[in-house]
Amino acid sequence: MEIMVLGSNGQLGRSIRDVFKNELFDITFFSKSDLNITDKPKLEDALKKYNPKIIINAAAYTLVDKAEDDSLNAYSINSSAPKYLSEICKSKDIHLIHISTDYVFDGVKNSGYVEEDVTNPLCVYGKSKLCGEENIIKSGCSYSIIRTAWVFSEYGNNFVKTMISLANKNEISVVSDQIGTPTYAGDIARLILKICSLTEYSNIRGIFHFSGNKKISWFEFSNFIFQSALEVGVIESKPNLYPILSKDYITKARRPNNSVLNSSKICSLLKIEPSDWQEGVKIVLNKI
C-alpha cells in the first residue's frame, strides 16, 4: 500500500519512521523542505506522482505563543493546507489521517473531553487547528482526525526534554492548575499503524481522541520526569520544584486548564490501550 507522510521531521513524523520501518508498506516521507503543503499545485503534483492510498498529515504550526503574532502562517499551515489536502483526497479517493489537538477546547469541563463535546478554542493555534478540522469535514473526503495532547518524545522540542535541560537549576516553578493527559508520540505512531493496517476505513472515519492513560498537572508531570531521570541516572539530583498558578505565569496565548482527552472511543474500536505516558517517559530518558 502506498502511504505519504507529511511533516516527517517533526517528533511525530520521526516516531512514525521508527514504528513503520519494518512494516510492508510503500511509504514516502516528506519534510517541509521536500513539500510545501500550503502550495496546492505542488501538493497535486506530488499526489499524482506517488498516487497514495493514505496520507498521514503530521505537519502543523505548533508554536502556540508565536502564533498569536503570526496568525497568517498558523492558519496557512493548520487550516488552508488541510483544506487543500482533503479536497485532493476527496477527488482521488485517498484516506486522510490528520493530527489535531486538545486546544480546540476551552478547558472549562470538569471531566475528560469526548469527541462530541462543544469546541471553543482560546488561542490562535487552537482556532487554526479547529478550522483545519472543519475544512476536512466539509470536503467530504474519507478521514480520521486524531486529537491528542501534551505530546512528547525523544525527538524535537517538548516538555520532557525541556525539563531535563533545566535539571541543573536549583529551583523551577511549574504550573499546577492545568491538567492533561500526556501522550508519547511513539504510541500515536502505533495507533496510526493500526489504522493503516485496516482493510477498509468505514469504521474509523470521523474525529477520535487519543491521549494518555492518566491525568496529571504540569507540576506533577515535572516531578515524575525528574524522579524517573534520577532513577535511570540521567541526572544526579532533582531541582526544587514549586507550584505556580496559571494567572501568575503569563503567556501570550491562553491555554485550557483542562486538557484531559477521553480516549475510550478509539481504544474500544481498535482494541488498544491509551498511551502509557509513564513508560513513554522512561523510553525517552533511556534514549537521550
Side-chain angles (χ1 to χ4, degrees):
M1 180 186 294
E2 299 82 4
I3 300 174
M4 286 178 60
V5 178
L6 308 177
S8 63
N9 282 351
Q11 61 174 332
L12 178 54
R14 294 173 72 179
S15 296
I16 292 171
R17 281 184 186 270
D18 291 344
V19 168
F20 277 69
K21 65 183 178 183
N22 294 322
E23 300 296 326
L24 298 178
F25 291 112
D26 183 3
I27 187 165
T28 308
F29 294 89
F30 294 88
S31 66
K32 181 180 179 181
S33 60
D34 296 325
L35 179 61
N36 181 357
I37 64 171
T38 64
D39 189 328
K40 189 175 183 181
K42 288 186 178 179
L43 270 177
E44 290 174 333
D45 289 343
L47 268 64
K48 183 177 180 180
K49 178 180 179 181
Y50 292 97
N51 193 29
K53 298 299 181 185
I54 298 175
I55 294 177
I56 302 168
N57 184 28
Y61 187 111
T62 58
L63 302 174
V64 177
D65 288 318
K66 186 178 179 181
E68 295 297 304
D69 297 320
D70 192 26
S71 60
L72 187 62
N73 279 328
Y75 273 92
S76 179
I77 296 169
N78 293 343
S79 177
S80 298
K83 179 178 186 293
Y84 303 151
L85 273 173
S86 58
E87 289 172 349
I88 298 169
C89 287
K90 171 64 176 176
S91 67
K92 295 183 177 295
D93 194 25
I94 299 168
H95 186 73
L96 176 61
I97 301 174
H98 177 77
I99 308 303
S100 193
T101 176
D102 57 299
Y103 277 50
V104 300
F105 298 112
D106 56 19
V108 300
K109 190 179 179 181
N110 291 324
S111 57
Y113 280 95
V114 296
E115 291 81 355
E116 294 75 22
D117 282 327
V118 176
T119 55
N120 184 33
L122 302 175
C123 60
V124 168
Y125 167 69
K127 291 174 183 177
S128 67
K129 291 295 288 182
L130 179 59
C131 282
E133 291 185 9
E134 293 170 343
N135 285 333
I136 291 170
I137 294 168
K138 288 176 185 175
S139 76
C141 77
S142 175
Y143 68 88
S144 303
I145 294 174
I146 310 298
R147 290 179 182 148
T148 190
W150 292 23
V151 180
F152 68 92
S153 71
E154 57 269 39
Y155 302 117
N157 298 315
N158 57 72
F159 189 77
V160 173
K161 292 177 71 177
T162 296
M163 287 298 103
I164 296 303
S165 71
L166 298 174
N168 61 343
K169 291 184 174 293
N170 291 326
E171 299 180 356
I172 302 176
S173 296
V174 186
V175 171
S176 61
D177 61 345
Q178 292 178 13
I179 61 169
T181 38
T183 316
Y184 178 49
D187 292 333
I188 305 172
R190 279 181 278 275
L191 164 64
I192 293 171
L193 173 60
K194 186 86 171 180
I195 295 173
C196 292
S197 301
L198 297 173
T199 54
E200 56 91 23
Y201 309 108
S202 60
N203 291 332
I204 201 68
R205 291 174 182 167
I207 296 176
F208 301 91
H209 292 176
F210 182 76
S211 191
N213 57 0
K214 179 184 177 182
K215 66 181 180 180
I216 197 168
S217 71
W218 287 118
F219 176 79
E220 293 167 327
F221 192 24
S222 300
N223 192 59
F224 181 87
I225 293 166
F226 285 123
Q227 184 60 42
S228 299
L230 193 64
E231 291 172 2
V232 300
V234 172
I235 59 175
E236 295 182 356
S237 61
K238 288 173 58 179
N240 295 311
L241 296 179
Y242 296 96
I244 188 172
L245 298 178
S246 301
K247 67 181 180 64
D248 298 320
Y249 184 76
I250 306 302
T251 58
K252 278 199 170 186
R254 290 181 62 198
R255 289 159 166 80
N257 281 346
N258 175 19
S259 285
V260 176
L261 297 180
N262 185 324
S263 303
S264 60
K265 181 179 178 180
I266 199 165
C267 289
S268 176
L269 183 63
L270 296 181
K271 296 179 173 55
I272 59 175
E273 297 295 324
S275 176
D276 185 345
W277 60 260
Q278 299 97 322
E279 183 62 27
V281 168
K282 295 174 184 177
I283 292 172
V284 171
L285 292 173
N286 281 316
K287 288 187 175 181
I288 64 173

